[in-house]
Amino acid sequence: QVQLMESGGGLVQPGGSLRLSCAASGRILNVMGWFRQTPGKGRELVATVTSRGYTNYAAAVLGRFTISRDSGSNMIYLQMNNLRSEDTGVYYCNGQRFGPVENPVTNFWGQGTQVTVSS
């Protein structure tokens, strides 16, 4: 079973920065990323990075957040700059492993880390 451990959440003022980290156990995951659950909304994509380094971002964070991954590992980071109150939520680390046709994608989740943007 893959285990994911997040760190780096906290309280920050609007316009500030935070850096989240996530480490996953086991074999290399095909895709890793961050999702968040904000008040009144479901869990939504923030950013993902593949094992080859290809990245994808939600429109709401493009230009403010940067996802990165240590080469050849299951360690990822999310640098969050110019934070806004609407970025407040629980941030979950996600890992995906691709498989056969009958089970093409297996998702793994961390426990989540709280990010609060408030003055």
Side-chain angles (χ1 to χ4, degrees):
Q1 183 70 9
V2 175
Q3 293 184 327
L4 293 90
M5 183 71 71
E6 304 108 333
S7 61
L11 172 65
V12 64
Q13 292 186 343
S17 299
L18 279 176
R19 189 187 193 216
L20 305 182
S21 301
C22 174
S25 62
R27 295 181 289 114
I28 292 296
L29 293 163
N30 298 96
V31 181
M32 292 187 71
W34 296 94
F35 288 69
R36 67 186 181 189
Q37 186 138 13
T38 55
K41 292 185 180 180
R43 195 172 293 189
E44 60 181 6
L45 169 74
V46 176
T48 59
V49 57
T50 72
S51 57
R52 296 187 178 185
Y54 295 107
T55 59
N56 180 52
Y57 294 92
V61 306
L62 193 61
R64 300 188 297 123
F65 292 9
T66 303
I67 191 169
S68 59
R69 183 171 183 171
D70 287 346
S71 179
S73 84
N74 284 337
M75 188 77 191
I76 65 168
Y77 309 92
L78 185 69
Q79 178 66 43
M80 304 185 292
N81 297 328
N82 192 20
L83 282 159
R84 305 167 180 169
S85 57
E86 55 263 39
D87 295 316
T88 294
V90 180
Y91 284 67
Y92 295 91
C93 183
N94 167 261
Q96 298 176 28
R97 179 162 289 139
F98 300 159
V101 171
E102 59 270 20
N103 188 23
V105 180
T106 301
N107 278 286
F108 305 96
W109 295 95
Q111 293 297 307
T113 184
Q114 177 71 42
V115 171
T116 302
V117 184
S118 175
S119 55

